């Protein structure tokens, strides 16, 4: 018969009473470990600095989905492109969350509260990291944006949370004013130029009539002149609209592509009108370059006046649209809850720290006791044999 194989504690069938006996034999060890860990966790939890949390929240941006169709329905077709582009660029809660998390806003908070000294960091990157750990920015399903700041000073925590909202308001208004104001100023400048050109064209007609007497155009020629002037005015207005849109949109923007197509179409119509070709199935009988000299000069003056008149009307509408957009884009952020200094600390959770530490120490101490006691069993049996 071969030598008896060495047995281990796992080879034995041990019931709960043997476990209990093993623990009882090492109860002093278990009690000592648990007691030491309990005491240490209490001391550590008391030594940990208190941290307070304050939360500020803002209402979601106003939804323009109901306003946009109303405004667009009241505008002529020549303005629907720019209006759609402008009304489609309103702020969203996601944008606000991005602004709050931006380096621009956080660096301003660091400067205002001297956080480099508060956190004791030498490098701005470390200060930003510590601030990031102290700030939580969330967006609820209703679109409400909340900013929660944790700090050892409850007043500073509340002030920092409110400061984030103030910076959001400042940046949001700056961006909106820059965008809306730039469009308004651009259109206003073109409107002023067109008004001068219109006045100049009217003066030229007056001077021409005073010099040459009344020059009459037949109804057909007058209709051609009016049509050419209106089309050219629309073309110039579209070009202004396109330039305005390109000031904040890329060439790949759908509205830009639509406007570019409209500009190309109007150029084709104008070319056909001036050359006397058929336009949309209708024949233009007399090309403008076939008019008699004196009549041609008068026709050109009338055409230029019609161009400036049409352009002036359309630019006036665009200018009013830009003013509406500028006013709409620059409201203050609507604060829902202002952060206030907390009376109750957010951390540390002392009870939880002590409970978890004590439970873990009990489990580890019991495991160690069982390992020590049950580990003796094979050697004691071998010695008895």
């Amino acid at each position: 018969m071969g030598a008896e194989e060495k047995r281990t504690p796992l080879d034995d069938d041990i019931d709960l009473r043997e476990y209990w006996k093993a623990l009882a034999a090492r109860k002093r060890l278990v009690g000592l470990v648990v007691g030491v860990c309990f005491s240490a966790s209490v001391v550590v939890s008391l030594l940990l600095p208190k941290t307070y949390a304050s939360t500020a929240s803002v209402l979601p941006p106003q939804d323009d989905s109901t306003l946009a169709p109303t405004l667009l329905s009241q505008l002529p077709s020549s303005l629907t492109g720019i209006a759609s582009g402008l009304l489609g660029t309103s702020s969203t809660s996601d944008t606000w969350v991005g602004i709050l998390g931006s380096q621009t806003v956080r660096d301003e908070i660091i400067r205002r509260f001297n956080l480099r000294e508060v956190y004791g960091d030498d490098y701005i990157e470390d200060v930003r990291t510590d601030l990031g750990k102290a700030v939580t920015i969330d967006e609820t399903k209703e679109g409400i944006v909340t900013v929660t700041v944790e700090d050892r000073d409850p007043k500073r925590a509340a002030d920092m949370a409110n400061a984030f909202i103030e910076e959001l308001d400042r940046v949001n208004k700056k961006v909106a004013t820059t965008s809306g104001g730039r469009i308004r100023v651009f259109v206003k400048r073109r409107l002023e130029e067109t008004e001068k050109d219109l006045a100049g064209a009217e003066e030229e007609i007056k001077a021409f009539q005073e010099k040459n007497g009344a020059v009459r155009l037949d109804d057909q020629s007058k209709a051609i002149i009016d049509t050419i002037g209106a089309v050219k005015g629309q073309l110039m207005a579209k070009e202004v609209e396109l330039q305005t849109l390109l000031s904040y949109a890329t060439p790949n923007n759908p509205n830009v592509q639509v406007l570019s197509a409209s500009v190309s179409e109007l150029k084709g119509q104008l070319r056909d009108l001036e050359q006397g070709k058929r336009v949309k199935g209708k024949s233009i009988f007399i090309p403008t370059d076939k008019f008699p000299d004196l009549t041609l000069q008068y026709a050109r003056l009338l055409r230029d006046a019609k161009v400036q008149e049409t352009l002036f009307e359309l630019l006036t509408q665009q200018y009013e649209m830009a003013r509406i957009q500028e006013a709409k884009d620059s409201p203050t952020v609507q604060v829902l809850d202002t952060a206030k200094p907390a009376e109750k600390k957010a951390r540390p959770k002392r009870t939880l720290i002590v409970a978890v530490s004590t439970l873990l120490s009990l489990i580890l101490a019991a495991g160690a006791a069982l390992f020590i006691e049950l580990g003796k069993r094979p050697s004691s049996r071998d010695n008895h044999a």
Side-chain angles (χ1 to χ4, degrees), residues 87-133:
L87 293 175
T89 57
S90 59
S91 298
T92 64
S93 296
D94 290 339
T95 301
W96 286 11
V97 170
I99 292 175
L100 288 168
S102 67
Q103 183 172 304
T104 299
V105 170
R106 299 201 176 196
D107 283 355
E108 182 61 22
I109 298 296
I110 291 172
R111 185 195 65 79
R112 288 177 59 175
F113 292 92
N114 194 20
L115 295 184
R116 188 190 293 266
E117 182 177 336
V118 171
Y119 294 152
D121 294 324
D122 295 329
Y123 302 102
I124 187 63
E125 292 81 6
D126 295 333
V127 183
R128 291 170 183 159
T129 299
D130 290 338
L131 178 60
K133 295 177 181 178

Side-chain angles (χ1 to χ4, degrees), residues 225-239 266-267 269-270 273-274 303-304 306-308 310-311 314:
I225 297 301
D226 287 342
T227 301
I228 292 176
V231 171
K232 191 169 184 178
Q234 292 175 15
L235 172 61
M236 296 175 68
K238 282 287 184 182
E239 290 174 339
L266 286 171
K267 286 182 178 179
Q269 291 182 17
L270 181 62
L273 284 169
E274 291 177 338
R303 181 196 62 189
D304 292 342
K306 183 64 176 180
V307 168
Q308 300 304 324
T310 303
L311 181 59
L314 295 177

Side-chain angles (χ1 to χ4, degrees), residues 5 39 78 130:
E5 296 180 357
S39 302
S78 62
D130 290 338

Side-chain angles (χ1 to χ4, degrees), residues 242-281:
L242 181 59
Q243 293 175 26
T244 305
L245 186 59
L246 285 172
S247 67
Y248 64 89
T250 65
N252 294 327
N253 185 291
N255 290 328
V256 172
Q257 295 177 351
V258 171
L259 277 175
S260 299
S262 298
V263 168
S264 299
E265 181 180 356
L266 286 171
K267 286 182 178 179
Q269 291 182 17
L270 181 62
R271 184 174 56 255
D272 291 342
L273 284 169
E274 291 177 338
Q275 295 176 358
K277 296 181 179 179
R278 297 178 62 86
V279 178
K280 294 184 178 180

